[in-house]
Amino acid sequence: MDFSLDPRLEADSLLVGDLALTQVRLHNDARFPWLVLIPRRPNLAEIFDLSETERATLTQEVSACGAELRAVTQCDKINVGALGNLVRQLHVHVVARFERDPAWPGPVWGFGTRTPYAAETSADLIARLRSALAMRA
């Protein structure tokens, strides 16, 4: 299948690795530990564009990423969303939230100015997430 990543998703995130259906990426904003899961299928905009089996797989992968992100970050809450207003390519956000984060309790989308990770910090977080999710890049 001809999967290609939307340039905006690629520019705003760092590769974590691949699960059965999705490419998992770390949103490059150190204020909020945030994964983005992109199904590796062409021409998808909505969850209902996936087959029934793929929707079940997506749900499992979102759940696994949420659980492992919570375990790795010790966050207070996990937020999950699939908006797609700016980037039409189907992708699901899995965001670790803390009661002390700058956007709490509001949404993270459009809040303030993104703070990119330091290279060492992102590499450490990506390594811990790869290990937790038993994946390779």
Side-chain angles (χ1 to χ4, degrees), residues 9-49:
L9 289 174
E10 187 169 13
D12 290 347
S13 62
L14 307 165
L15 180 64
V16 175
D18 288 336
L19 295 171
L21 175 67
T22 60
Q23 182 175 102
V24 179
R25 301 185 68 85
L26 176 67
H27 184 65
N28 194 9
D29 189 343
R31 299 172 304 157
F32 314 105
W34 179 340
L35 297 177
V36 181
L37 283 69
I38 308 105
R40 292 185 319 278
R41 302 290 187 268
N43 306 316
L44 297 177
E46 308 295 345
I47 290 173
F48 55 78
D49 292 335

Side-chain angles (χ1 to χ4, degrees), residues 117-130:
Y117 282 98
E120 185 176 302
T121 304
S122 65
D124 176 64
L125 181 54
I126 288 169
R128 292 187 307 155
L129 289 164
R130 281 182 186 151

Side-chain angles (χ1 to χ4, degrees), residues 49-79:
D49 292 335
L50 294 165
S51 71
E52 186 175 339
T53 300
E54 290 169 330
R55 284 193 304 273
T57 301
L58 179 62
T59 299
Q60 292 165 351
E61 292 181 3
V62 166
S63 295
C65 285
E68 296 304 342
L69 185 60
R70 182 178 63 187
V72 166
T73 65
Q74 298 296 296
C75 64
D76 298 308
K77 179 75 175 87
I78 293 288
N79 291 171

